[in-house]
């Protein structure tokens, strides 16, 4: 089996599993308890916090643990909105290609009377800093832009956008779920005020994430209860998950350069191979791109059929429309970069991890070529295209 859906989730690293088991077996106290086993858990929790803070250039007190990326996105955006509202500011800027954890939170705020500007991206999926500058108004209370896109892998000019937000004194939130552990991120250098991350995207466990909140930025809680996380996130901390997340992140960062170089080489090989398929196109930026992300559109086929047939061949991948499974809408990201509906439906995302081999890459290329050709063989859409009854787009 070749697992090529690491943008959806990753396998936990052995280091992370080991760290988690140690806590589960030996350090199971409640960090809020005053006796020694509780305090030992508290120490492990604070060590994890310091480790994570160190990796992104933050202070430990600026890291808040959450249940994952979605919760971190929700809390960051809702906090900025409430803070803004209190100052009479009800305008939020974001982009058309954000994760649904951001977009759906913004939709909710719109219903509550906030005005949301979703910036367009170019054909490569890039947001321009100038577009952010032009959109900022007197009443803007938040700019939220993702570090790297989860579908097409495009890496956004976060540092430049952050500099504009600093200049205009507008809080800047970044969904860095796809970036942390994969490419360098530093909240100071990148001018970030709030940042969301999720452990299961960097070989840590599911259900654990963190929110970086720069000192001085006000936070509102989503969950009421005990005084954990300085009263900003009630509920007994997920110590095994948090400790494993810190272990996974330290490991990912220690190996980042090596992994990125390896993955980029395999990515380029995959892209070169898949480009040989006629009427296909790479989605996302050719260079400003996550090391492990490959995303293609193939004209005349359905992404879902492609996925199922690849699964039969032992390849686990994803399609642009899989995220919204149950709905027939193609990916909002592919539409935002200008792919028309029919083309966007025929998409394939391969997100590879460090365990991929050259033989795997060759097998993936061969398999995708076979499956695309097979599906086109009985596709009425493809027949019309070949017969000249409709026009090729790619
Ligand atoms: C996966 C992902 C999320 C959600 O993270 P969870 O931990 O699964 O809630 C948010 N944003 C991006 C860009 C993601 O890839």
């Amino acid at each position: 089996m070749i697992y090529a859906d690491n943008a959806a989730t990753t396998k936990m690293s052995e280091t992370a599993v080991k760290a988690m088991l140690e806590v589960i077996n030996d350090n199971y106290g409640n960090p809020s308890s005053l006796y020694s086993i509780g305090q030992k858990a508290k120490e492990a929790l604070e060590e994890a916090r310091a480790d994570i803070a160190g990796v992104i250039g933050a202070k430990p007190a600026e890291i808040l643990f959450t249940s994952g990326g979605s919760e971190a996105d929700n809390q960051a955006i809702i906090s900025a909105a409430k803070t803004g509202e209190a100052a009479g500011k009800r305008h939020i800027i974001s982009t058309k290609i954000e994760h649904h954890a951001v977009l759906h939170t913004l939709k909710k705020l719109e219903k509550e009377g906030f005005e949301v500007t979703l910036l367009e991206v170019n054909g490569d999926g890039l947001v321009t800093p100038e577009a952010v500058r032009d959109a900022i108004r007197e009443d803007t209370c938040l700019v939220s832009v993702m570090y790297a896109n989860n579908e097409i892998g495009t890496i956004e000019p976060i540092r430049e956008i952050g500099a504009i937000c600093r200049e205009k004194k507008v809080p800047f939130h970044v969904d860095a779920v796809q970036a942390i552990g994969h490419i360098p991120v530093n909240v100071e250098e990148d001018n970030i005020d709030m940042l969301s991350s999720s452990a299961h995207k960097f070989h840590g466990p599911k259900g654990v994430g963190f929110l970086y909140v720069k000192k001085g930025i006000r936070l509102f809680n989503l969950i009421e209860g005990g005084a954990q996380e300085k009263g900003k996130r009630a509920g007994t901390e997920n110590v095994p998950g948090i400790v494993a997340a810190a272990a996974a992140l330290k490991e990912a960062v220690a190996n980042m350069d090596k992994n990125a170089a390896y993955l980029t080489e395999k990515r380029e090989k995959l892209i070169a191979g898949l480009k040989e398929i006629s009427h296909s196109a790479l989605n996302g930026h050719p260079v400003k791109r996550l090391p492990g992300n490959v995303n293609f559109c193939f004209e005349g086929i359905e992404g879902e059929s492609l996925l199922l047939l690849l699964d039969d061949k032992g390849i686990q991948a994803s399609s642009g429309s899989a995220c919204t499974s149950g709905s027939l809408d193609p990916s909002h990201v592919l539409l935002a970069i200008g792919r028309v509906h029919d083309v966007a439906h025929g998409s394939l995302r391969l997100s590879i991890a460090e365990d991929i081999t050259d033989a795997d890459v060759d097998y993936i290329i061969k398999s995708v070529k076979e499956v695309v050709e097979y599906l086109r063989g009985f596709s009425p859409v493809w027949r019309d295209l070949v017969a000249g009854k409709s026009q090729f787009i790619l």
Side-chain angles (χ1 to χ4, degrees), residues 7-8 67-71 73 99 101 146 148 150 175 177-178 198 200-201 207-208:
S67 67
S70 299
E71 186 186 334
D73 282 340
H99 190 272
M146 69 200 322
N150 47 304
D175 175 338
V177 173
Q178 292 289 332
S198 178
H200 76 101
K201 304 289 175 73
V208 194

Side-chain angles (χ1 to χ4, degrees), residues 361-378:
V361 168
D362 292 338
Y363 180 71
I364 292 173
I365 294 170
K366 175 173 158 282
S367 302
V368 175
K369 282 180 175 170
E370 279 169 14
V371 171
V372 169
E373 191 178 341
Y374 172 77
L375 287 172
R376 282 175 172 172
F378 55 83

Side-chain angles (χ1 to χ4, degrees), residues 143-310:
V143 171
S144 181
V145 179
M146 69 200 322
Y147 213 113
N149 184 268
N150 47 304
E151 292 187 34
I152 58 174
T154 299
I155 300 170
E156 301 297 343
I158 290 302
R159 192 168 297 189
E160 290 80 1
I161 295 171
I164 292 168
C165 293
R166 283 276 148 92
E167 181 195 321
K168 300 278 183 186
K169 299 193 167 51
V170 178
F172 183 35
H173 167 252
V174 175
D175 175 338
V177 173
Q178 292 289 332
I180 296 283
H182 300 278
I183 56 173
V185 175
N186 183 295
V187 290
E188 277 301 320
E189 291 165 9
D190 292 339
N191 307 306
I192 296 170
D193 296 314
M194 289 190 278
L195 172 143
S196 306
S197 178
S198 178
H200 76 101
K201 304 289 175 73
F202 54 72
H203 301 287
K206 292 160 188 58
V208 194
F210 65 88
L211 176 61
Y212 156 77
V213 187
K214 191 177 172 63
K215 189 168 184 280
I217 299 261
R218 184 151 181 223
L219 208 60
F220 289 78
N221 30 348
L222 303 179
I223 299 169
E224 305 295 340
Q228 291 91 353
E229 300 296 288
K230 292 204 242 97
K232 298 302 177 204
R233 207 278 181 180
T236 303
E237 300 87 345
N238 175 3
V239 188
I242 290 167
V243 168
L249 185 55
K250 277 201 295 184
E251 187 180 28
V253 170
N255 298 312
M256 188 182 282
D257 290 350
K258 186 181 67 165
N259 287 344
Y262 182 79
L263 286 176
T264 303
E265 188 221 316
K266 303 299 172 235
R267 177 191 81 193
E268 290 306 306
K269 205 173 156 198
L270 276 168
I271 290 174
L274 297 180
K275 267 192 181 153
E276 289 171 7
I277 297 173
S278 69
H279 304 285
S280 70
L282 177 70
N283 296 313
H285 198 283
V287 184
K288 292 173 187 163
R289 182 177 198 101
L290 288 170
N293 176 289
V294 175
N295 191 315
F296 265 83
C297 278
F298 304 106
E299 208 164 353
I301 61 159
E302 285 288 337
E304 268 82 0
S305 323
L306 180 59
L307 288 196
L308 294 176
L309 292 173
L310 286 177

